[in-house]
Amino acid sequence: MAESKPMNPLEMVAYVLSRQVKDQEVVYIGTGLPMVAAILAKKTHAPNITFVYESGGQDPIAGGMPWSVGGPETYRKSPMIMEMAYSFGQAAGGLVDTGFLGFAQLDMYGNANTTMIGDNFLNPKVRLTGSGGNNDVGSLCEKIVFVGIQSPQKFVQKCDFITTTGHMVDGVGRKDLGILGGGPVAVVSTAGVYDFDPATKRMRIKTLHPGVSADLAQLATGFELLRPAGEIPVTEVPSKEILEILRHEVDPQGFFITMPGA
């Protein structure tokens, strides 16, 4: 029987992110909620997806929730384990459909920063982890889905540093820059789901989570969000059955779906 405990924002993001995956796709997975979402998708609406973990594990048989993409669960009885370079080579060869990416900053064109905060590269306010696989995934996979907490500090007018090119930089498109793949198709945040306007390539509201208004989403954004014509749809929420799978089968220890301080 499903628990009566209310769904928390991280569970909502994990569910919505899982819905970005279509059955039969090859999905490039990073640490955290992308792992949760991919495993949930495979247990629910997309049983035939193929996992590609950033560290090289290919489609392991389901076990415990990995702590990271380097965890042993990402290799468990895998039919193939590849070095990271070959793993990225899969994406360069057009063999990966969707890649999940996080970010420290994201601008209206889907350019992401995971390198530094500040205007001085040699003396930044905050030195971040750097690209890791962020640029590779963003430049090589056919579709990119970003996931993260929404705030004006993270949804910014201009990234302090562009680690990963989205749709456009200084008026120049990704194809003009010789970057492969179709670029970002969605952003899943704690407030809603966004896509990109086909003509301008700017971020546009697609759905908003229950209780979130367009004005509230705008307050949590450092640039002007485009709004669709007409009424903005409300994001679909998980059923009790799916929430139970998420809590008891996908991440039973709550590594990634427990709210901080809970």
Side-chain angles (χ1 to χ4, degrees):
M1 182 176 178
E3 297 177 28
S4 58
K5 186 171 65 175
M7 176 181 61
N8 72 45
L10 295 179
E11 291 171 334
M12 179 67 178
V13 169
Y15 169 70
V16 176
L17 192 60
S18 79
R19 301 299 294 181
Q20 306 302 311
V21 180
K22 298 179 180 177
D23 201 15
Q24 309 287 349
E25 283 190 339
V26 179
V27 184
Y28 213 109
I29 304 168
T31 294
L33 287 173
M35 297 192 302
V36 177
I39 295 171
L40 180 63
K42 192 154 194 168
K43 286 180 175 290
T44 55
H45 68 280
N48 301 302
I49 60 174
T50 298
F51 291 4
V52 180
Y53 280 103
E54 185 175 323
S55 54
Q58 306 279 307
D59 210 29
I61 292 176
M65 171 58 66
W67 278 88
S68 75
V69 293
E73 296 87 353
T74 66
Y75 301 97
R76 184 173 182 268
K77 298 183 178 180
S78 291
M80 185 185 300
I81 299 172
M82 304 174 77
E83 293 181 5
M84 188 177 291
Y86 289 103
S87 182
F88 285 129
Q90 282 180 284
L95 301 176
V96 179
D97 298 300
T98 300
F100 291 133
L101 287 178
F103 55 89
Q105 293 179 326
L106 189 69
D107 71 16
M108 67 175 72
Y109 298 111
N111 301 305
N113 175 18
T114 60
T115 300
M116 55 162 275
I117 302 297
D119 57 8
N120 185 339
F121 182 80
L122 298 177
N123 187 28
K125 293 179 181 176
V126 180
R127 177 74 72 187
L128 304 170
T129 57
S131 174
N134 204 289
N135 182 282
D136 304 78
V137 173
S139 299
L140 302 175
C141 294
E142 184 55 33
K143 297 181 293 183
I144 301 303
V145 176
F146 284 107
V147 55
I149 294 171
Q150 187 166 340
S151 73
Q153 291 74 38
K154 293 176 72 69
F155 282 53
V156 296
Q157 183 75 29
K158 185 178 177 63
C159 290
D160 292 347
F161 186 98
I162 294 178
T163 309
T164 303
T165 302
H167 284 297
M168 191 174 292
V169 176
D170 294 332
V172 180
R174 63 185 284 127
K175 288 187 178 179
D176 299 321
L177 297 170
I179 299 173
L180 304 177
V185 297
V187 181
V188 177
S189 82
T190 44
V193 181
Y194 305 88
D195 61 9
F196 292 86
D197 178 72
T200 65
K201 302 300 183 184
R202 284 181 52 185
M203 196 182 300
R204 178 176 64 181
I205 298 173
K206 185 175 183 181
T207 69
L208 293 173
H209 299 342
V212 178
S213 67
D215 289 341
L216 183 59
Q218 185 59 66
L219 283 174
T221 308
F223 53 84
E224 183 184 2
L225 289 167
L226 298 184
R227 303 184 185 192
E231 188 174 349
I232 298 174
V234 177
T235 311
E236 173 190 333
V237 299
S239 66
K240 290 182 179 179
E241 290 75 18
I242 290 180
L243 199 54
E244 191 166 81
I245 293 172
L246 176 62
R247 290 174 175 173
H248 297 291
E249 297 182 27
V250 176
D251 190 9
Q253 294 173 293
F255 292 148
F256 301 109
I257 60 172
T258 300
M259 292 294 290

